[in-house]
């Protein structure tokens, strides 16, 4: 399986690689610079010492003598890890003093103009060699005498290492600081991506409106593509909903006729098996009629949510009308139903038709699948919200099923003829009114399971 890296990880790895390569180049450059600086410093000391030794050459009584000045060796003694070798050659090429086997490939005539430096090996050790010429004008010893001075390179290497290490530490610290700054910058730069992802995650699954999130210019084509796709998807959903509404409308007429024909078919003329079959057909016809009505109701609710302007309405009055519509006249006389209105007037900003359909579906669901002997519908105020509570004495819905039953065609009563649209319609109406469909389990008072439609209240002047 191919490992997928996030955009942040990819940017971090690329920048880390670039910083590492840059740090390696800078450390290499620092090493060259440190070696050049160390060579230059010690070359100056070496030439200075050779010049001081050359200044000690003199002719006395026709003989060339050497005055080895201690200051010259004290100067070289600053590099305590190095060894010093020297050789002094008279104008005739004879060694006056020093190491006779100390040789050099330096062009001697060139030394007459200025000191010459070279690198070599003496006694198996790498050395730096300086050659200085001294002109002698005494008749007894005229010509050019030369001072050959060699020094091992341990101190140079040590100084180069110290300078390089100091520069490398500085470079590494700067790279780490740059990496931290770049990581923070990348996180800041990618924040709009996270905000866009969060906005998409928080959207309702039914919300196909364009995404309106402020994003950088580079992300606008991406957001535009998402909005274009959602627009096309919304067109397909609208066509599908229109088809369902049209189909449900066309089915309603023959269903009504079929139900009427079944009612006219007298069961007294059928045997026991025939009556059972007739009862099952009537039950399935009623379920199909209810599903058709819910499909039409759902299509109507969606259409009104997109086209109807909301207005201040009395939620208690809408709930009372929904109660009258939802509770049939032929309800079982053993079931006690009641409606309790709030003490204060509950005004909400909404569409009365959609709100009535939502409440009717909640009450109808309670009567069909929850109520055993009691159904209570009441309105009340709860802070800044107006509530419509539908309570029955049935077993209720398990809390684990609450998120699922508000989705279309999802039901906890699949074996009892439920289509799974009642709570979906109520939930979508509540969401369109900035409210929510809530559930409350049977409490300690054992009063029953409650479905709550919560909508934000508005306060009208003079009310």
């Amino acid at each position: 399986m191919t490992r997928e890296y996030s955009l942040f990880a990819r940017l971090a790895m690329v920048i880390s690689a670039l910083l590492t390569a840059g740090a390696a180049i800078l450390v290499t450059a620092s090493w060259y610079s440190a070696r050049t600086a160390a060579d230059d410093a010690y070359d100056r000391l070496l030439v200075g010492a050779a010049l001081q030794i050359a200044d000690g050459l003199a002719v006395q009584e026709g003989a060339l003598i050497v005055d080895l000045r201690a200051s010259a060796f004290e100067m070289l003694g600053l590099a305590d890890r190095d060894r010093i070798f020297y050789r002094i050659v008279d104008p005739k090429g004879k060694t006056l003093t020093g190491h006779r086997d100390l040789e050099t490939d330096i062009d001697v005539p060139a030394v007459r103009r200025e000191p010459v430096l070279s690198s070599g090996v003496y006694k198996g050790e790498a050395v730096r060699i300086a050659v200085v010429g001294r002109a002698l004008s005494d008749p007894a010893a005229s010509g050019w005498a030369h001072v050959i001075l060699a020094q091992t390179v341990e101190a140079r290497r040590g100084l180069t290492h110290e300078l390089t290490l100091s520069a490398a530490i500085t470079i590494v610290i700067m790279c780490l600081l740059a990496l931290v700054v770049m990581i923070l910058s990348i996180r800041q730069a990618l924040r709009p991506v996270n905000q866009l992802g969060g906005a998409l995650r928080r959207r309702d699954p039914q919300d196909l409106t364009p995404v309106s999130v402020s994003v950088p210019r580079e992300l606008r084509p991406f957001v535009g593509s998402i909005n274009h796709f959602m627009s096309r998807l919304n067109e397909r959903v609208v066509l599908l909903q229109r088809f369902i509404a049209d189909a449900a409308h066309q089915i309603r007429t023959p269903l009504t006729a079929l139900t009427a024909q079944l009612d006219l078919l007298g069961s007294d003329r059928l045997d026991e098996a025939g009556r059972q079959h007739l009862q099952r057909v009537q039950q399935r016809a009623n379920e199909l009629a209810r599903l058709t009505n819910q499909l039409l109701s759902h299509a109507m609710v969606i259409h009104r949510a997109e086209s109807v302007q909301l207005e201040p309405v009395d939620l208690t009055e809408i709930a009372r009308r929904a109660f009258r519509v939802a509770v049939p006249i032929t309800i079982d006389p053993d079931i006690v139903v009641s409606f309790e209105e709030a003490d204060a007037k509950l005004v909400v900003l909404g569409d009365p038709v959609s709100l009535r359909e939502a409440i009717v579906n909640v009450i109808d669901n309670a009567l069909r699948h929850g109520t055993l002997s009691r159904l209570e519908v009441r309105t009340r105020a709860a802070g800044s919200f107006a509530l419509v509570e539908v309570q029955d004495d049935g077993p209720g819905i398990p809390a684990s099923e609450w998120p699922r039953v508000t989705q279309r065609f999802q039901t906890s009563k699949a074996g009892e003829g439920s289509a799974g649209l009642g709570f979906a319609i109520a939930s979508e109406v509540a969401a369109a009114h900035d409210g929510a469909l809530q559930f409350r389990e049977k409490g300690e008072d054992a009063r029953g399971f409650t479905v709550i439609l919560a909508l934000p209240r508005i306060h009208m002047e003079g009310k």
Side-chain angles (χ1 to χ4, degrees), residues 228-289:
H228 177 68
F229 172 78
M230 293 179 68
S231 175
R232 295 178 58 187
L233 181 61
N234 185 57
E235 292 175 359
R236 298 297 184 273
V237 172
V238 169
L239 290 176
L240 180 60
Q241 291 170 348
R242 186 178 302 168
F243 168 77
I244 293 175
D246 292 342
H249 182 74
Q250 295 298 325
I251 293 174
R252 175 183 285 181
T253 301
L255 271 179
T256 304
L258 176 62
T259 303
Q261 293 296 324
L262 290 175
D263 291 338
L264 292 175
L265 183 62
S267 60
D268 53 347
R269 286 178 289 179
L270 300 175
D271 56 14
E272 181 64 24
R275 285 195 293 271
Q276 290 181 355
H277 288 302
L278 176 61
Q279 183 178 4
R280 291 173 185 174
V281 171
Q282 288 176 327
Q283 181 181 357
R284 294 295 181 263
N286 290 333
E287 291 175 359
L288 184 56

Side-chain angles (χ1 to χ4, degrees), residues 21-309:
I25 294 173
L26 289 176
V27 170
T28 303
S30 299
W31 177 78
Y32 278 108
S33 177
R35 189 181 69 173
T36 301
D39 286 341
D40 185 66
Y42 280 98
D43 283 348
R44 291 176 183 273
L45 292 177
L46 188 61
V47 170
L51 289 174
Q52 286 192 5
I53 294 174
D55 288 342
L57 295 176
V59 180
Q60 292 183 0
E61 298 178 356
L64 180 62
I65 62 173
V66 182
D67 181 12
L68 293 177
R69 299 179 180 179
S71 59
F73 292 97
E74 289 177 356
M75 186 182 300
L76 296 176
L78 295 174
D80 54 357
R81 289 179 292 180
D82 283 336
R83 298 174 60 192
I84 307 300
F85 311 98
Y86 69 95
R87 177 186 176 195
I88 300 175
V89 183
D90 64 10
K92 297 179 180 180
K94 294 182 179 180
T95 300
L96 294 178
T97 182
H99 300 78
R100 297 181 182 276
D101 57 348
L102 181 58
E103 300 289 346
T104 179
D105 296 331
I106 295 176
D107 184 16
V108 174
V111 179
R112 297 176 182 179
R113 293 188 295 270
E114 61 181 1
V116 178
L117 292 162
S118 68
S119 299
V121 177
Y122 181 67
K123 294 186 180 297
E125 295 186 70
V127 294
R128 188 70 169 166
I129 303 172
V131 180
V132 175
R134 172 72 185 278
L136 302 175
S137 58
D138 191 284
S142 62
W144 284 84
H146 297 87
V147 176
I148 303 174
L149 187 62
Q151 181 185 27
T152 56
V153 296
E154 292 297 325
R156 297 167 185 263
R157 292 174 178 173
L159 180 58
T160 300
H161 175 75
E162 292 176 3
L163 293 176
T164 304
L165 180 61
S166 177
I169 292 175
T170 303
I171 292 171
V172 170
I173 292 175
M174 292 300 296
C175 288
L176 290 177
L177 290 176
L179 182 60
V180 171
V181 172
M182 291 301 298
I183 288 176
L184 295 177
S185 301
I186 292 173
R187 287 192 179 277
Q188 183 66 25
L190 293 179
R191 181 172 295 180
V193 179
N194 296 329
Q195 292 175 347
L196 177 60
L200 293 175
R201 286 192 298 270
R202 290 190 298 269
R203 288 173 72 91
D204 187 88
Q206 312 302 328
D207 186 3
L208 298 178
T209 58
V211 178
S212 57
V213 179
S214 178
V215 295
R217 183 172 59 253
E218 292 77 7
L219 290 179
R220 290 176 187 172
F222 179 65
V223 175
S225 299
I226 292 178
N227 288 335
H228 177 68
F229 172 78
M230 293 179 68
S231 175
R232 295 178 58 187
L233 181 61
N234 185 57
E235 292 175 359
R236 298 297 184 273
V237 172
V238 169
L239 290 176
L240 180 60
Q241 291 170 348
R242 186 178 302 168
F243 168 77
I244 293 175
D246 292 342
H249 182 74
Q250 295 298 325
I251 293 174
R252 175 183 285 181
T253 301
L255 271 179
T256 304
L258 176 62
T259 303
Q261 293 296 324
L262 290 175
D263 291 338
L264 292 175
L265 183 62
S267 60
D268 53 347
R269 286 178 289 179
L270 300 175
D271 56 14
E272 181 64 24
R275 285 195 293 271
Q276 290 181 355
H277 288 302
L278 176 61
Q279 183 178 4
R280 291 173 185 174
V281 171
Q282 288 176 327
Q283 181 181 357
R284 294 295 181 263
N286 290 333
E287 291 175 359
L288 184 56
R290 182 168 182 266
L291 173 60
T292 303
N293 290 329
Q294 283 191 325
L295 288 174
L296 287 173
S297 175
H298 184 259
M300 182 269 296
V301 165
I302 293 177
H303 171 72
R304 295 185 68 87
E306 297 176 351
S307 59
V308 175
Q309 184 71 28

Side-chain angles (χ1 to χ4, degrees), residues 365 369-370 395-398 404-405 410-419:
N365 190 83
H369 307 295
I397 302 173
R404 190 174 67 88
V405 295
Q410 298 292 329
T411 176
S412 60
K413 308 291 184 180
E416 301 178 17
S418 176

